[in-house]
Amino acid sequence: MKVLVLLGAPGAGKGTQADILARNLGLPRIATGDLFRSAVRAGTPLGVEAKAYMERGEFVPDEITVRMLLQRISAPDAARGVILDGFPRNRAQAEALEAALAARGAQVESALYIEVPEADLLQRLSGRWLCQAHGHTYHDTAYPPRSPGVCDVDGSPLAQRDDDRPEIVAARLRNQLGSLEEVVEFYRPKGLLRTVDGRRP
């Protein structure tokens, strides 16, 4: 089983690059946020647990997140491997993932870190718009839609998340960059970390 971890701060381009890698490698892209939303919609036991935290605006505990992820990578389409988009988010999740994969005779093959300076992240995130139907991403300057406010792919309306306002973005980055650095330093000494300049086209 090939397991690739894609790391980066919010706005670094993980989702965009994960989609490209998934197409080229023929592996499913797995993002925990998507898993949460899907499980909540389906009303699964894990979804019910996660929903209680999400409705309070809290992070879903690592234990629930890891259980949901392991359930997903047990699906038939993940037999050859997976691309983990933005997971693990902290050292505890990285350790839990390593232990769970080892129990299956697998391991993370590579941790790809998309590195972007904080000032660039702030500019990127505060101009971001999302497709309401499927989450396709657009940006005021870097990647505007052909028709303002409308998704090029499915024609659904675009909206900006409340937490993409500049002051909220700055606070969010401060909170998340420390945890991201923990994960980067977890993989670096193992020789698994590959750093990519996220400012390139």
Side-chain angles (χ1 to χ4, degrees), residues 61-173:
D62 292 344
E63 186 267 334
I64 296 174
T65 304
V66 172
R67 273 196 292 145
M68 196 172 287
L69 179 76
L70 294 179
Q71 191 175 78
R72 174 63 183 90
I73 67 176
S74 298
D77 70 329
R80 286 183 50 247
V82 294
I83 297 165
L84 301 182
D85 175 1
F87 182 92
R89 290 182 183 274
N90 58 46
R91 186 179 180 90
Q93 289 182 354
E95 291 171 347
L97 176 65
E98 183 176 65
L101 290 174
R104 298 167 183 228
Q107 64 181 28
V108 169
E109 183 175 295
S110 188
L112 309 171
Y113 175 36
I114 303 174
E115 195 169 30
V116 179
E118 190 171 344
D120 292 57
L121 294 170
L122 184 59
Q123 189 273 332
R124 287 182 185 186
L125 290 172
S126 59
R128 185 168 63 171
W129 294 79
L130 298 174
C131 154
Q132 294 299 284
H134 297 103
H136 302 117
T137 306
Y138 297 88
H139 192 274
D140 286 336
T141 56
Y143 185 57
R146 287 191 297 267
S147 299
V150 179
C151 178
D152 295 347
V153 180
D154 54 38
S156 69
L158 303 180
Q160 189 168 46
R161 299 184 334 192
D162 288 340
D163 59 357
D164 281 345
R165 295 195 315 272
E167 66 278 10
I168 303 296
V169 169
R172 205 164 106 225
L173 285 173

Side-chain angles (χ1 to χ4, degrees), residues 1 3 11 58-59 108 134 144 148 190-191:
M1 175 186 237
V3 179
E58 299 174 6
F59 282 119
V108 169
H134 297 103
K190 298 175 185 294

